[in-house]
Amino acid sequence: MPQENIISVSDLTKYYGNLLAVDQISFEVKNQELFGFLGPNGAGKTTTINMLTGITKPTSGKASIAGYDITKEPIKAKGLIGVVPDVSGVYDEMTALGNIDFSAKLHSVPKEKRKARAKELLELFNLYERRNDRVGTFSRGMKKRLMIATTLVYEPKIIFLDEPTTGLDVQSSRQIRDLIKEMNKDGTTFFLTTHYIEEADQLCQRIAIINKGKLITVDTPERLKKMVQTENMIEISFNNTADFSEKLKDLNPVKNVVRVADKFRLYVTDLSETLPLIVDFANHNQLKVTSIVTLKPTLEDAFVSLTSVRPEVMANEARDA
């Protein structure tokens, strides 16, 4: 029977001089789980991952990988870990096949298994036709897929995946997310960091939120959404793109209005009372309502409520990453 928790963290703390980067955090990651780790820049994400992967020693506290203490048994613990960084970790001057083969050799994968596994992964990641091409000619999305392939070739128990879709186009991002889901179904555990809150919502079974070195919460996306005490929300758009925010605020049940692209998000005390007033508002201003929906709390709402960090800040950090 597989071990229930593949990562166990207890009171993990890291100081850099007088700077407290990570403050006594504790959590577990279940075996074969897709676990998200969210937080703004400077929250302690990178320091935590560096401790879990043996790059940085903790000041105090404990962390183990499949029961192996990362400080006391680093070789055994690291042997179970694969790391896919945000920045390219493949060699541009080598071919795709050469990169996978080199990674397999580094991790002592037997020759026959190496060849078969490389072919399997190149086909899985839609790179087989380009297997003999220099990686320097690849797009960013292709390089990201190849990085994951060079990690999977030695079959780690857990993969630390940093910003898997940052800087990728929509199609490449979707391909990466689909691959992550499929690999997770096949039994790979993922520890995922991302600035894209919607991505974490789509992929992760549980999410930890860290801010200013402290772990705020660990829960499922759905339970995190239910934790958020928000007002009712209505999102509406008209056939006129002028800004009607101030006028909409004058409607009695409306407490706040936020413009989102060509739509208006209304935070209201009573849905049933507001909807007919919006129809009257449109008629009075000679407008046509082109769309109207009621909204439930999102993971983004939960993140903002728990960290006080606006989602646009996270988006800017993702672009700068």
Side-chain angles (χ1 to χ4, degrees):
M1 185 175 177
Q3 185 173 349
E4 184 179 359
N5 294 327
I6 196 166
I7 296 179
S8 295
V9 175
S10 178
D11 294 327
L12 200 63
T13 301
K14 181 64 180 179
Y15 277 94
Y16 290 104
N18 293 323
L19 175 65
L20 180 57
V22 174
D23 187 4
Q24 294 183 306
I25 65 173
S26 300
F27 63 92
E28 291 83 31
V29 177
K30 298 174 183 176
N31 194 33
Q32 301 181 3
E33 184 174 29
L34 215 167
F35 186 85
F37 202 58
L38 299 185
N41 281 349
K45 297 193 306 297
T46 300
T47 300
T48 300
I49 291 169
N50 286 345
M51 287 190 284
L52 293 179
T53 54
I55 296 172
T56 301
K57 287 188 176 181
T59 304
S60 62
K62 293 181 180 180
S64 64
I65 305 293
Y68 296 115
D69 189 296
I70 193 66
T71 302
K72 297 177 181 177
E73 301 172 283
I75 294 175
K76 290 181 178 178
K78 289 180 183 180
L80 302 172
I81 293 171
V83 180
V84 181
D86 176 30
V87 294
S88 180
V90 290
Y91 299 97
D92 283 357
E93 66 277 10
M94 294 172 64
T95 65
L97 180 59
N99 268 279
I100 293 176
D101 191 60
F102 181 63
S103 177
K105 287 178 180 176
L106 282 178
H107 293 86
S108 304
V109 179
K111 184 176 181 180
E112 289 306 312
K113 185 175 182 180
R114 208 162 61 221
K115 291 172 65 176
R117 189 77 174 130
K119 183 176 185 295
E120 177 187 342
L121 288 168
L122 286 165
E123 289 175 343
L124 174 66
F125 286 81
N126 295 319
L127 294 171
Y128 189 75
E129 298 301 319
R130 301 288 302 274
R131 64 191 181 280
N132 294 318
D133 293 350
R134 284 181 61 253
V135 173
T137 65
F138 285 13
S139 68
R140 188 167 181 174
M142 292 169 68
K143 286 183 178 181
K144 183 70 78 170
R145 298 203 304 273
L146 182 61
M147 277 196 289
I148 299 174
T150 59
T151 302
L152 285 177
V153 73
Y154 55 89
E155 300 178 320
K157 295 288 185 184
I158 179 169
I159 294 178
F160 288 84
L161 191 55
D162 186 20
E163 301 293 343
T165 62
T166 297
L168 302 186
D169 58 60
V170 173
Q171 183 178 0
S172 296
S173 296
R174 185 180 293 114
Q175 288 176 339
I176 293 293
R177 285 194 291 268
D178 288 344
L179 283 167
I180 292 169
K181 289 176 184 176
E182 286 303 313
M183 287 185 289
N184 180 243
K185 285 179 184 177
D186 290 339
T188 303
T189 304
F190 283 94
F191 190 102
L192 171 73
T193 59
T194 178
H195 282 90
Y196 298 130
I197 298 173
E198 182 182 352
E199 181 169 82
D201 194 6
Q202 290 178 17
L203 290 175
C204 298
Q205 287 125 28
R206 287 192 308 141
I207 290 170
I209 297 178
I210 187 172
N211 194 29
K212 298 178 181 178
K214 290 184 176 292
L215 195 68
I216 299 172
T217 189
V218 182
D219 216 327
T220 66
E222 291 308 311
R223 282 201 289 264
L224 287 172
K225 294 172 195 176
K226 288 179 181 177
M227 285 169 52
V228 185
Q229 298 299 314
T230 63
E231 295 170 304
N232 297 306
M233 290 181 286
I234 299 172
E235 198 165 79
I236 185 169
S237 63
F238 301 109
N239 62 335
N240 187 323
T241 58
D243 191 350
F244 297 101
S245 299
E246 293 304 316
K247 288 184 176 181
L248 287 166
K249 285 179 183 177
D250 290 337
L251 300 179
N252 187 50
V254 176
K255 297 304 177 184
N256 193 23
V257 178
V258 176
R259 190 166 191 185
V260 183
D262 64 333
K263 302 176 182 65
F264 300 93
R265 186 169 297 171
L266 281 59
Y267 296 82
V268 306
T269 55
D270 188 294
L271 288 173
S272 60
E273 185 182 349
T274 307
L275 292 171
L277 290 176
I278 289 172
V279 174
D280 291 343
F281 174 87
N283 291 335
H284 181 75
N285 289 277
Q286 298 182 323
L287 298 170
K288 182 180 178 181
V289 176
T290 55
S291 71
I292 183 167
V293 293
T294 57
L295 302 177
K296 294 180 179 180
T298 64
L299 186 60
E300 181 179 287
D301 295 320
F303 182 87
V304 171
S305 175
L306 291 165
T307 66
S308 300
V309 176
R310 297 299 307 174
E312 56 266 26
V313 173
M314 291 286 282
N316 289 336
E317 290 177 355
R319 284 193 291 270
D320 294 339

